[in-house]
Every structure is written in C-alpha cells, then in structure tokens.
C-alpha cells in the first residue's frame, strides 16, 4: 500500500497521498512506516545472528546457510535505510509538513541539517535517496521470481490453499479406471498445490529438525526433499520426461517416509510433504511395480488375505471364542460397531489388548458388536504404500458391510483405522460417527459408568501415536484415562502431544524395513527411558509392537509396554 501511495502515485502527482489520506492520516501512516522500518532492522539483525552466529539446530543445515539469504537481508535493510533517509531529508525541505510523531526521521535529519546545505542540495539528496529506494524495489521485483525468495510470494497462497481438515487425509481419486497415469513423477503430473508447495519453502529447517527419518540419519530430510523437487521446475522438456524420481529425489527417500506428519505440523507456510511422497509411491507401485520387497509382500498379503500379517495362523474370530462378544449379525441393534483391526485380531500380543477393551466395554454395559470374519483391512497400508487401487477395493468391501448392517457409530482401537474410516471413507461415500476407544472410555469414566478402583504404584509415560495425536488431535483422553487410575503416576516424555516422535511404524513401515540400522523406535524408546517410568503406555497396536522390541533391545530393566485399555482393565472391578 505504501509503495502504491507514496512511490508510484505520488511520483505522478506529488499531492496524491495527501489528498487521499489527508494531512493527519498521511503523517500518522508515515510515522507507522518509520517504526516499522526500525522493527524490520531489528528482525534482520536477529536473522543474521541466528543464521550465522548463534545458530539453532534447525538452521545448521548447509541449505539454510546459503549466501543468497544475505542478498535478501542486505536488500531489505537498504530499503528500510533509504526510506528513513528520504524522510529525514524531507524534514529539511518541508519542515511545515513535519509531524511530531515522525520522531525517527526528525532525529536522523539532524546530521544533514548540520551540513548547512542550501535547499536545492537537500532536494537533490532527497531525490537521490528516493531513486535508490525505488531502484531497490524494482530489483526486488526482478530478483524474487528468479531466486529462492519466490517463497515470499508463493507461501501465502500455499497457506491459503492448505488442507484445513485432518493432516492424516490422503486424497482419494475416484476415477482410477479412466486415469492414463497413476501418481506423479514430473511437473506435469504433480498437483497444483504440490507444485505451489515446492516453491513456498522458506528453508527454515523446522520440518527436518523434527523428522524422525532425518533424526535417524536416513536419506529423507523433508526440507531438502521439497527443495530438490523445486529444482525440478527449471529443467528441460527431456528432463520432464525422465521425471524427478532417481534424479531430484531418490527412491530411498520416498520409501523412508513414515507419514507421521511432524513436518506438516511444524511448517509455518502450510506445506504438505506427505502428499507428493504418496503420489510418487503411487507412481512407483501402480505404474512401475517398483517397491521394497517387504512392501510387495504386504500388498500381496492384503490382496490374498485381506490383511497385512503374512504368516499369521489366526482367523479373525479366534480371539473372541471364549469371550462374551456378539457379532453384528447376532446383535443387529448394537449401538456401536467395535472395529477390531487386523493387528488386534491377528497378532497374539495385540489380541490381549482387544480382549481388555471388550471386558471394559462389557463392564460398562456398552451395547456393541463386531464384524469378526466379515471385517477386512481398512486398506490403510495399501493406500500409504501407494496402491490406491487395492485401497479402494478393500475400503469398498467394508463400506458395503457398513451399509448392509446400517452402521451409524464405530469405535476403533487402531488409530490408523480411525483415521482411514473417519477421514478417508467419506470420499468413497461413507460417513458415520467414528470415535477412538479412548474417547468413549473417557466419557464412560466421566459418567461413572466405569470406576477404576484397583490401586497401582505404576509410573507411566504415555506415547502419543501420530495417527491419534497429530493427525486426529486426540491428546487429552488417553491421559485422562491414566489419571483416573488410583495411584498411577503419569510422566511426560521430552517430546509429547503434537511434538511427539513417531514410533517408526507409520506410512506402511510396520511392514517395510527401515533403510538403515538406526531405528526410529529405538530413538523414541531412549526418550521413554529418560523419564525413568516403569511403564510405556500406548494407544496403538503398532506402537505396542515397536516399543516392546525397542525396550527389549535398549533396556536391561523390566520396563513394560501396555495399552491404555490393559492399564484400565487392571484397575476396574471384576463385575463393576
Ligand atoms: S511425514 Fe514424518 S517421516 Fe515423513 S517427511 Fe514428514 S516428518 Fe519425515
Ligand atoms: S518447515 Fe516448511 S518452510 Fe520450513 S524448511 Fe520445512 S518445508 Fe520449508
Ligand atoms: S489399518 Fe492397520 S490395523 Fe487397521 S485394519 Fe488395516 S492393517 Fe489392520
């Protein structure tokens, strides 16, 4: 606004801004600009100190210390300086227009006044500063679009068009049969918002500082990944045909991602890193059939058995044989469908958790039922690995069952299932009230339908699963349940709630091997061990498995990993 008024309009008619704003408002606005200039100076000095002297961890990457940043700092500082100098000399040319609030330029005018020039010399000096100021503005206009500082223009748009729903949502293209290509590998196939994101990055390092793969020295560092994709924009037609995979970014980077959302959560300009990664996985899986062996066998298991647990000898009805739990066909009037999930049904350790949950629900007289053998995988692993086609087949099978049994309310144990059914099934036409078990249990405790009574002396640290916490904003309910157990002491890990580190199992990595020896789960286990708690509480079947392995590898003591449902079951009376 100030440039339109005071530079361009006033240079056509010197009274323009005065006529539009009036003398008082014009002077007030000029005072505001002077104060702003000083604040910008302070910000620039702080930026210089933080980038090159007292450098925080997130700015220690070589990418964040490029000399280009100096150019922009010098240009902005020169803009502010020439603005103040122009206004200072203006005081000497038109003292009658000086306003008592313009104290900064008035103060700066003193050295010029002591020179005792005649009025024409002051006018010359004023015009000199004004032209330098204008030249810098025009240089900006030329420099920004060809420099990395294009983000100054693009980032507001990226922020504006950002995903306002859950960060756990991956888009669901509905026209797969008609698509000529799947996923993305070049600028022609990336979506407009993804391309906008490549140019919006401010190279601030926040995403890479928190990314679990970067913290465990893997190839993927989200800031570098996004910037490498930005480089792909300046390539030739031939490069466009070759694509970005194996040129700007490696396959290892693409498969490293855990979809944990820590990067998205930290990014100040709304960049969605997971979205292009999934599109590149789709390209690799659906176009090229290129994927890690472990991903391939997971997809095969999903195709052949409707679950990712290749080698399991259990069926989905084994775990509830001796339990008081009805199937939805036996109890069609059930208020809730309890969605068990493949891991809860087919992995022995996780079956114990589901049994605890069933006992809790029975104890509170919740009217629920299960699908048992009619349940199939939500399709989450297929979607995250990049086989959208398989995801939609599995999802539609479940949706048909939901419609058949007129399901209106679903309780999930697995946060991945929660995220998929609640956030991704609506794109396929199914909507219901989908809640996590911790939400329902908290409500039951509040209503006194569940009363934890058995005392314990356990000290517990709760790990926020990414798909429950960051992606679905459920932070307090699991903590409230722990706090409701008499005698239980709750600790917090150094990274918690939206800052919690992933367990290493997201994005299909429950089944895909990590690309180096340094395991994400071990890093998080170390953070737990620092708390000196005796129990690591979880609310996700994958986290449970990851941390049981982590603790057996990292600790000589007898810390244990328990699901919130197991901890609560130990504390409720046998028959309420
Ligand atoms: S989603 Fe997680 S693992 Fe993937 S790039 Fe972001 S922070 Fe890293
Ligand atoms: S947090 Fe966002 S702006 Fe900062 S480096 Fe990462 S992608 Fe770029
Ligand atoms: S999303 Fe995960 S836990 Fe849930 S049903 Fe599928 S594989 Fe099983």
């Amino acid at each position: 606004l100030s440039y339109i008024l005071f530079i361009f309009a006033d240079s056509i008619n010197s009274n323009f801004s005065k006529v539009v704003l009036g003398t008082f408002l014009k002077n007030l606005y000029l005072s505001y600009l002077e104060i702003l200039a000083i604040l910008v100076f302070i910000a620039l000095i702080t930026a210089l100190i933080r980038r090159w002297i007292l450098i925080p961890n997130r700015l220690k990457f070589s990418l964040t210390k490029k000399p280009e940043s100096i150019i922009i700092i010098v240009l902005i500082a020169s803009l502010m300086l020439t603005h103040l100098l122009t206004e200072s000399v203006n005081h000497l040319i038109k003292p009658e227009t000086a306003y008592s609030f313009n104290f900064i330029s008035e103060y700066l005018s003193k050295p010029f006044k002591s020179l005792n020039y005649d009025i024409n010399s002051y006018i010359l000096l004023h015009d000199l500063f004004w032209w330098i100021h204008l030249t810098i503005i025009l240089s900006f206009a030329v420099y920004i679009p060809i420099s990395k500082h294009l983000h100054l223009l693009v980032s507001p748009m990226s922020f504006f068009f950002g995903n306002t729903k859950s960060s756990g949502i991956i888009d669901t293209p509905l026209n797969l049969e008609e698509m000529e290509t799947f996923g993305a590998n070049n600028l022609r196939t990336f979506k407009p918002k993804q391309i906008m994101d490549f140019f919006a990055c401010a190279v601030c390092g926040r995403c890479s500082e928190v990314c679990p793969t970067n913290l465990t020295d893997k190839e993927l560092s989200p800031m570098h990944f996004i910037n490498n994709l930005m480089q792909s924009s300046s390539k030739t037609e031939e490069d466009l045909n070759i694509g970005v995979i194996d040129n700007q970014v490696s396959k290892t980077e693409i498969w490293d991602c855990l979809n944990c959302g820590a990067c998205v959560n930290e990014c100040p300009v709304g960049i969605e890193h997971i979205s292009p990664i999934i599109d590149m996985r789709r390209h690799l899986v659906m176009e090229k059939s290129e994927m890690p062996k472990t991903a391939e066998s997971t997809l095969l298991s999903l195709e052949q058995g409707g679950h990712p647990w290749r080698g399991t000898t259990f069926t989905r009805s084994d775990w509830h044989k001796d339990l008081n739990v009805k199937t939805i066909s036996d109890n069609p009037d059930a208020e809730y469908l309890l969605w068990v999930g493949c891991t809860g049904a087919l992995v022995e350790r996780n079956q114990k958790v589901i049994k605890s949950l069933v006992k809790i629900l029975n104890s509170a007289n919740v009217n629920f039922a299960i699908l048992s053998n009619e349940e199939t995988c939500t399709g989450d692993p297929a979607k995250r690995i990049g086989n959208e086609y398989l995801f939609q087949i599995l999802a539609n099978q479940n949706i048909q069952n939901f419609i058949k049994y007129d399901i209106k309310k679903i309780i999930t144990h697995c946060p991945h299932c929660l995220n998929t059914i609640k956030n991704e099934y609506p794109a396929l036409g199914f909507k219901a009230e989908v809640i996590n078990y911790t939400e329902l249990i908290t409500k039951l405790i509040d209503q006194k339908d569940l009363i934890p009574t058995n005392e314990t002396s356990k000290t517990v640290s709760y790990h926020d699963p990414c798909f429950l916490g960051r992606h679905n904003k459920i932070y307090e309910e699991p903590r409230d349940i722990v706090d409701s157990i008499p005698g239980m002491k709750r600790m917090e890990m150094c990274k918690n709630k939206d800052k919690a580190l992933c367990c290493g199992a997201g994005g299909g990595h429950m089944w895909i091997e990590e690309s180096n020896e340094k395991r994400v789960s071990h890093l998080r286990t170390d953070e737990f061990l620092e708390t000196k708690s005796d129990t690591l509480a979880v609310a996700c079947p994958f986290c449970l498995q990851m941390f049981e392995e982590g603790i057996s590898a990292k600790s000589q003591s007898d810390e244990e990993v328990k699901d919130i449902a197991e901890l609560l079951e130990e504390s409720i009376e046998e028959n309420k």
Side-chain angles (χ1 to χ4, degrees), residues 255-526:
W255 290 111
D256 271 346
C257 180
L258 304 168
N259 289 202
C260 71
C263 49
V264 181
N265 185 56
E266 288 300 316
C267 183
V269 295
I271 291 172
E272 292 156 53
H273 311 67
I274 300 171
S275 165
I277 289 175
I278 293 294
D279 267 336
M280 283 186 267
R281 286 186 182 182
R282 284 174 178 166
H283 174 84
L284 288 171
V285 172
M286 295 169 77
E287 285 280 320
K288 308 247 165 173
S289 280
E290 284 178 27
M291 68 200 97
K293 278 267 167 290
T294 41
E296 201 175 316
S297 68
T298 306
L299 292 178
L300 198 66
S301 177
L302 285 165
E303 262 172 43
Q304 293 174 343
H307 65 78
W309 292 108
R310 203 168 172 75
T312 181
T313 53
F314 292 108
T315 69
R316 288 184 190 264
S317 54
D318 287 345
W319 68 271
H320 63 86
K321 270 185 188 141
D322 307 321
L323 279 179
N324 174 20
V325 54
K326 289 199 170 75
T327 61
I328 193 79
S329 51
D330 291 338
N331 180 14
D333 297 327
E335 183 183 0
Y336 293 100
L337 174 78
L338 171 62
W339 181 266
V340 177
C342 314
T343 313
L346 301 171
V347 177
E348 196 170 5
R349 173 66 184 93
N350 299 97
Q351 288 174 346
K352 287 188 191 163
V353 176
I354 294 296
K355 287 178 188 173
S356 293
L357 179 56
V358 163
K359 285 179 193 160
I360 292 168
L361 297 178
N362 281 336
S363 163
N365 296 322
V366 176
N367 183 7
F368 72 97
I370 56 171
L371 278 166
S372 190
N373 286 323
E374 287 189 86
E375 195 177 291
T376 193
C377 178
T378 57
D380 165 87
K383 193 173 186 75
R384 305 264 155 196
I385 288 173
N387 193 334
E388 181 63 25
Y389 195 72
L390 181 56
F391 161 71
Q392 293 192 18
I393 290 174
L394 294 166
N396 281 321
Q397 276 177 31
N398 286 318
I399 290 172
Q400 277 167 21
N401 270 331
F402 295 155
I403 293 169
K404 179 169 116 188
Y405 291 113
D406 194 23
I407 302 297
K408 297 277 187 287
K409 294 182 181 181
I410 299 175
I411 316 163
T412 68
H413 178 265
C414 170
H416 298 262
C417 300
L418 171 87
N419 184 64
T420 307
I421 303 174
K422 181 178 176 179
N423 299 324
E424 288 166 346
Y425 278 17
L428 293 169
F430 176 75
K431 277 189 191 161
E433 185 189 326
V434 189
I435 56 170
N436 180 252
Y437 75 106
T438 57
E439 294 176 282
L440 179 65
I441 288 178
T442 309
K443 204 168 115 194
L444 294 171
I445 292 173
D446 286 349
Q447 293 167 353
K448 306 266 183 271
D449 289 327
L450 273 175
I451 304 173
T453 48
N454 301 340
E455 286 254 355
T456 176
S457 57
K458 282 191 167 92
T459 306
V460 167
S461 290
Y462 170 66
H463 161 81
D464 293 271
C466 313
F467 281 76
L468 195 61
R470 259 191 304 274
H471 289 315
N472 284 289
K473 309 280 176 263
I474 298 173
Y475 298 114
E476 296 310 326
E477 288 84 347
R479 289 176 169 78
D480 289 347
I481 297 170
V482 170
D483 291 345
S484 74
I485 299 172
M488 189 166 277
K489 190 173 167 216
R490 181 165 60 80
M491 311 278 283
E492 287 290 356
M493 286 188 254
C494 55
K495 292 179 189 156
N496 56 65
K497 299 188 179 172
D498 67 324
K499 309 285 180 210
L501 190 71
C502 179
C503 75
H509 274 268
M510 190 67 240
W511 305 279
I512 302 172
E513 263 309 307
E514 288 182 54
S515 63
N516 68 356
E517 294 297 308
K518 207 167 168 184
R519 297 180 75 94
V520 173
S521 59
H522 290 189
L523 191 62
R524 185 59 167 163
T525 302
D526 285 339

Side-chain angles (χ1 to χ4, degrees), residues 14-68:
S14 60
N15 279 328
F16 185 87
S17 57
K18 201 165 156 186
V19 171
V20 172
L21 293 176
T23 309
F24 177 76
L25 272 184
K26 179 181 172 178
N27 282 331
L28 197 64
Y29 192 63
L30 283 171
S31 309
Y32 153 77
L33 286 182
E34 288 182 7
I35 293 167
L36 193 68
I38 296 296
L39 292 177
V40 171
F41 262 124
I42 295 170
L44 292 174
I45 291 165
T46 313
L48 274 175
I49 294 172
R50 281 170 66 80
R51 291 254 167 177
W52 282 279
I53 303 169
L54 298 171
I55 312 168
N57 275 342
R58 69 177 173 84
L59 295 176
K60 284 187 177 153
F61 302 99
S62 53
L63 191 63
T64 58
K65 288 190 275 183
K66 282 201 165 175
E68 254 187 302

